[in-house]
């Protein structure tokens, strides 16, 4: 799993302007330094595979947000051994992700069914 470049915690977002991956605490610290830093656009990393998600935000503090990439949503799993023994995702987060993926699959199936009905 990718580590925060400042504190070695689990990375949660990528700042293109700084070319850095950061945890939410270090992101808040770095991007609250001044109004210019707060304007940096940051992309959330997937909590399953740590690839970029479609979620982008700006501001001094984005907060801890759970996000999953399109690939993990479509495949319902994207871990292909990218985690390992140093995997820092808590069991609680794993349950949240599993429930999110199940819900998204139900919505996806319902959307397909509704399209067929129309």
């Amino acid at each position: 799993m990718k580590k925060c470049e400042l504190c070695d915690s689990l990375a949660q977002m990528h700042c293109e302007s700084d070319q850095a991956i950061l945890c939410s605490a270090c992101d808040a610290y770095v991007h609250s330094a001044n109004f210019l830093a707060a304007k940096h656009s940051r992309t959330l990393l997937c909590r399953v595979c740590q690839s970029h998600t479609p979620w982008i935000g700006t501001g001094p503090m984005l907060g801890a947000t759970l996000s999953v990439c399109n690939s993990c949503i479509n495949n319902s799993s994207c871990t292909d051994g990218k985690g390992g023994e140093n995997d820092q995702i808590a069991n609680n987060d794993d349950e949240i992700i599993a429930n999110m993926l199940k819900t998204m699959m139900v919505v996806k199936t319902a959307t397909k069914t509704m399209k067929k009905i129309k």
Side-chain angles (χ1 to χ4, degrees):
M1 298 301 274
K2 296 177 185 174
K3 304 278 186 171
C4 173
E5 292 183 31
L6 297 178
C7 73
D8 287 335
S9 294
L10 183 66
Q12 296 171 313
M13 55 197 73
H14 175 257
C15 176
E16 183 66 34
S17 299
D18 294 328
Q19 289 293 298
I21 55 171
L22 304 165
C23 67
S24 59
C26 290
D27 177 75
Y29 174 75
V30 168
H31 292 99
S32 63
N34 59 55
F35 76 98
L36 292 174
K39 290 183 179 183
H40 290 179
S41 177
R42 277 105 69 211
T43 305
L44 260 181
L45 300 177
C46 177
R47 293 288 287 182
V48 179
C49 70
Q50 285 199 302
S51 63
H52 285 78
T53 66
W55 191 94
I56 296 172
T58 61
M61 184 174 172
L62 299 180
T65 306
L66 184 66
S67 187
V68 181
C69 71
N70 289 331
S71 194
C72 288
I73 291 168
N74 292 333
N75 297 329
S76 296
S77 175
C78 192
T79 54
D80 350 319
K82 293 178 185 172
E85 66 277 353
N86 294 325
D87 191 357
Q88 294 183 12
I89 298 176
N91 288 336
N92 207 16
D93 285 350
D94 287 342
E95 289 176 32
I96 292 169
I97 291 167
N99 288 334
M100 280 177 57
L101 292 172
K102 286 177 190 172
T103 302
M104 289 175 177
M105 292 305 292
V106 168
V107 169
K108 192 175 178 182
T109 304
T111 303
K112 285 180 183 177
T113 303
M114 289 176 69
K115 285 181 182 177
K116 288 179 183 177
I117 292 172
K118 289 182 182 181

